[in-house]
Amino acid sequence: MDDLERDTSYSLDEFSAPTADEWRAAAVASLGGQPFEKLSSRTYEDIPLQPLYRREDTAELPFARTLPGQPPYLRGRTAAGATQHGWAIAQEISEHDPAAFNAALIAALEHGQTAVTIRLDDGAGAGLRLATAADAAAALRGVYLHGLPIILHAGPTALPLLALLVAARPAGTAEGGPAELTGSIAADPLAALAETGALPLPLASAYDDMALVAQWAAAAAPGLATVAVRADLYHEAGGSAVHELAFALATGAAYLRALTERGVAIDTAAAAVALHFAIGGQFFMEVAKLRAARLLWAQVVAAFGASPAAGAVRLHARTARRNKSAIDRHVNMLRATTEALAAAVGGADSICVAPFDEPLGAPDDFSRRIARNVQIILQDEAHMKRLIDPAGGSYAVESLTDQLARAAWAQFQEIERQGGMAAALERGFVQSSIAAVAGKRAAALAKRRDVLVGVNQFANPNEKLTARPAPAVQPAADDAAPGARCPRRWPRRRRGGATGVRPSPPPPPGTRSQLATALRGDSAGALPTPTATPLRPARAAAPFEALRQKAQVAPRLFLANLGPPRQHKARADFTQGFFEVGGFQVITNNGFATPDEAAAAALASGAPAVAICSTDETYPDLVPPLVAAIKAAAPQTVVILAGRPAEQVEALRAAGVDEFVYFGADALAINGWLLEQLISRGV
């Protein structure tokens, strides 16, 4: 070391820093004549991803500079103690029965969970049933909520749910009162409209409730958000990050406008809002999405005249459902881990990691534990909770954040010009915008330009698709009416002359939509309720899973490999993978010297489908005699060719080839076609 320290002959000054033009020229030379644009790709947000980002790419970030001073909350979790405690671990508990929910929740809290996430009954037995205050008391019995946030999507109005929760935990009891409530027990009527296509109460009535609850929370539970903006719906329906951000802004602006029109101060209204996002598999895009959300929300709040401090917003993130699969389900662990890291790097205040077996039905204890431990490892072993804005300063992430923010802001302004988010939903603008991108995603997955490991690439042909039975739905208690009561000193509301809160009990079994009909004023029914075409969330893997389910008998496909391995192997491997994603049992081999040998082996296998694998140059000589021999002995056999030489297609079809597989072919359509062919031919 001493010799190295004394040796002054080595100096970085000897090396000149390459310019961007020099790097580009070297990259072009390495491409062998391909254009430089070959290294760039365009996302579903219509944002070009560059192969390299440099300092000059962040020299001008126009959108970020619209907020003078760059408030520190734009960097992520900056509250006191954030570097000690990190984000809240907010795993969902899917138990239906309140007592079972309580047991599962306490077990989770004892093993690292730091928030209470309540998923309400969806009417199909998944989620917690809350029909009475007794149900709420049973679900949270023994849970000390001070410093333990609750995250609950209340649907179109939070009023009945808060009534139940506060009635179940009245002030002066050992379990505490409203002041201990923190987190987000929040209404999102526009999300309910987008999700179901209708509301159980007029939008104006939902906004009346929203203002009432926000004012009550500001006085009685200042740590509680009562207004949610659920951007996750647009993600799960196939939308882009631009859609998620723009529709979240339009929804949030509608809520701020409605609250301030009803007398809620803008700072109080802004403090009542929490943004909820799904986190997908595009790591850097998801990081940029959360960072852009804070930037954009601060811009919206500033436009309403709020104080600078009011621009801070709570961000809840959940790993996405859209890209999870029921087949090869353990891969979901890897997907969810990447997404949880993106949420942490992006600065989410609370995160829910979905169990890897969620697509199969109700998760079990093992999958819940693995999901929870992903977050604990990120916090305590990867030390992510000690970092604030770990992506800050990254040329790529800063540039992507700015481009995403500008694109989302432009679409948000377009929605405002069209009359706002409610009008955009009722006219179908939101749905059609998302459908256009969802269609592109589906086509890219079917053609394997986008990859879901285990689904449309690298499938396990021996795996059987299974489903876990749904939990039994327990009957609701008969004493629902006495159990549901309003909290004392709940503020009175005015709605078209009606005052007070009606203590009407929500009907059993306590689904979110049913609870939304409770505690409504008499005049609510006189107003029209909005309707819209509901969004259609779907897992991307579902069409392939349906195909695999249909092919449970594992029909056989024989590979007629011609020539030595160097002649057929690349196409044989491709063809095997292509048909295994459809559930076919592919029979392969090391190749045959002649078409007669290949035909004999194919016929001996008894496979009802044969795929020929060799080279374009050999096909004119080898394919006609091979197909003729197979179909002479077994006319019902389906013959497929690996490759699609354009100048030979007509002649090869005339020789008896039924279909071609190649890079860019629609794997979903061709696998489905082959399965139907075999069924129709009775083979």
Side-chain angles (χ1 to χ4, degrees):
M1 178 60 70
D2 292 341
D3 292 339
L4 288 175
E5 290 176 349
R6 288 192 296 269
D7 189 349
T8 59
S9 62
Y10 299 97
S11 173
L12 292 178
D13 295 336
E14 297 179 19
F15 304 95
S16 59
T19 66
D21 290 339
E22 289 172 335
W23 180 87
R24 184 184 180 102
V28 170
S30 70
L31 289 173
Q34 296 289 325
F36 179 78
E37 288 68 27
K38 186 79 173 177
L39 297 177
S40 178
S41 61
R42 191 164 288 273
T43 71
Y44 290 107
E45 292 75 19
D46 201 28
I47 293 174
L49 293 181
Q50 302 300 330
L52 180 70
Y53 289 85
R54 297 166 56 93
R55 185 189 301 272
E56 50 264 34
D57 293 309
T58 60
E60 293 292 334
L61 298 179
F63 193 90
R65 294 177 186 274
T66 62
L67 292 171
Q70 288 294 285
Y73 56 75
L74 296 179
R75 300 177 57 205
R77 298 176 300 276
T78 56
T83 55
Q84 299 177 19
H85 304 295
W87 63 90
I89 298 175
Q91 297 302 106
E92 293 175 358
I93 306 295
S94 58
E95 298 293 343
H96 181 74
D97 179 72
F101 176 94
N102 179 258
L105 173 61
I106 290 176
L109 293 173
E110 290 174 345
H111 292 87
Q113 185 155 325
T114 56
V116 179
T117 302
I118 300 176
R119 178 183 174 187
L120 289 179
D121 186 358
D122 59 6
L128 177 63
R129 182 200 68 211
L130 284 181
T132 70
D135 288 339
L140 298 176
R141 182 169 291 118
V143 178
Y144 184 53
L145 290 179
H146 183 72
L148 190 68
I150 293 179
I151 297 171
L152 189 159
H153 294 149
T157 173
L159 183 56
L161 281 165
L162 271 173
L164 291 183
L165 290 170
V166 175
R169 305 170 71 82
T173 68
E175 293 178 332
E180 73 174 356
L181 294 176
T182 60
S184 171
I185 304 176
D188 190 349
L190 292 178
L193 178 61
E195 188 174 27
T196 66
L199 291 180
L201 73 170
L203 193 55
S205 301
Y207 288 159
D208 289 342
D209 287 354
M210 185 181 288
L212 172 73
V213 172
Q215 289 175 321
W216 172 84
L224 184 68
T226 58
V227 180
V229 176
R230 289 189 57 197
D232 59 304
L233 292 177
Y234 311 114
H235 181 100
E236 303 296 1
S240 70
V242 169
H243 289 142
E244 296 172 63
L245 290 168
F247 299 153
L249 293 183
T251 301
Y255 294 161
L256 293 179
R257 193 174 292 118
L259 290 171
T260 53
E261 288 173 353
R262 286 161 174 77
V264 180
I266 181 57
D267 279 23
T268 300
V273 176
L275 304 184
H276 295 245
F277 286 95
I279 304 299
Q282 297 299 318
F283 181 83
F284 290 109
M285 184 64 72
E286 299 304 309
V287 171
K289 181 173 74 180
L290 294 185
R291 300 177 82 249
R294 290 191 296 273
L295 196 67
L296 292 161
W297 183 251
Q299 184 85 337
V300 169
V301 170
F304 275 87
S307 66
V313 67
R314 314 175 203 214
L315 291 180
H316 174 68
R318 186 194 194 277
T319 57
R321 294 181 175 91
R322 185 178 70 194
N323 63 340
K324 302 306 183 296
S325 59
I327 47 180
D328 214 347
R329 58 190 178 274
H330 292 91
V331 180
N332 293 333
M333 292 186 190
L334 307 179
R335 297 183 182 116
T337 300
T338 300
E339 293 160 5
L341 178 60
V345 172
D349 298 295
S350 55
I351 301 174
C352 171
V353 175
F356 72 90
D357 56 352
E358 183 182 52
L360 296 178
D364 59 20
D365 290 339
F366 171 75
S367 61
R368 285 197 294 261
R369 176 173 175 266
I370 291 296
R372 185 173 59 246
N373 283 350
V374 165
Q375 297 201 60
I376 296 172
I377 289 171
L378 287 176
Q379 286 194 349
D380 294 337
E381 294 190 26
H383 305 293
M384 289 298 300
K385 68 181 181 181
R386 300 186 179 184
L387 303 175
I388 295 176
D389 195 18
S394 161
Y395 301 147
V397 174
E398 295 286 5
S399 176
L400 190 58
T401 299
D402 187 74
Q403 292 181 78
L404 194 54
R406 283 186 282 147
W409 187 261
Q411 186 161 86
F412 160 59
Q413 290 178 311
E414 175 61 26
I415 296 170
E416 289 291 283
R417 283 192 293 269
Q418 294 182 16
M421 190 62 178
L425 282 168
E426 290 182 279
R427 285 199 317 274
F429 172 79
V430 171
Q431 296 88 330
S432 61
S433 299
I434 290 176
V437 173
K440 293 178 182 178
R441 292 186 189 276
L445 198 70
K447 295 181 178 181
R448 307 202 299 176
R449 291 196 298 266
D450 289 348
V451 173
L452 275 180
V453 173
V455 176
N456 70 341
Q457 287 270 32
F458 312 114
N460 177 4
N462 298 318
E463 183 180 20
K464 302 299 182 184
L465 189 60
T466 58
R468 194 170 287 130
V473 179
Q474 300 295 326
D478 293 333
D479 59 347
R485 63 185 188 272
C486 296
R488 297 176 183 176
R489 298 185 304 277
W490 193 278
R492 298 173 67 83
R493 62 177 172 180
R494 297 185 179 274
R495 181 187 287 143
T499 60
V501 177
R502 292 173 59 86
S504 308
T511 66
R512 186 165 60 190
S513 61
Q514 290 168 327
L515 286 169
T517 65
L519 306 178
R520 213 186 302 160
D522 289 334
S523 63
L527 299 174
T529 57
T531 59
T533 302
L535 293 173
R536 301 297 183 191
R539 288 185 301 105
F544 283 91
E545 292 168 359
L547 188 63
R548 290 279 292 273
Q549 186 70 52
K550 193 173 182 179
Q552 284 287 355
V553 293
R556 292 176 296 164
L557 181 142
F558 183 85
L559 295 187
N561 300 326
L562 294 167
R566 67 176 181 274
Q567 181 173 317
H568 69 256
K569 184 169 175 51
R571 280 182 167 168
D573 290 347
F574 170 83
T575 304
Q576 181 173 355
F578 190 96
F579 286 106
E580 283 180 343
V581 304
F584 288 89
Q585 178 187 349
V586 180
I587 305 168
T588 189
N589 48 75
N590 290 325
F592 303 96
T594 67
D596 289 342
E597 291 180 11
L603 293 168
S605 72
V610 175
I612 303 171
C613 302
S614 191
T615 62
D616 290 355
E617 293 76 17
T618 62
Y619 282 157
D621 296 328
L622 299 179
V623 171
L626 174 55
V627 176
I630 291 173
K631 293 206 170 184
Q636 297 298 312
T637 303
V638 179
V639 177
I640 298 162
L641 190 77
R644 196 176 187 275
E647 68 283 356
Q648 301 180 38
V649 168
E650 187 175 343
L652 291 169
R653 284 200 181 276
V657 173
D658 296 296
E659 189 54 271
F660 302 83
V661 295
Y662 49 91
F663 286 110
D666 191 323
L668 183 62
I670 292 176
N671 273 282
W673 166 84
L674 179 56
L675 189 59
E676 290 296 334
Q677 288 290 313
L678 299 185
I679 293 172
S680 66
R681 299 183 187 192
V683 292

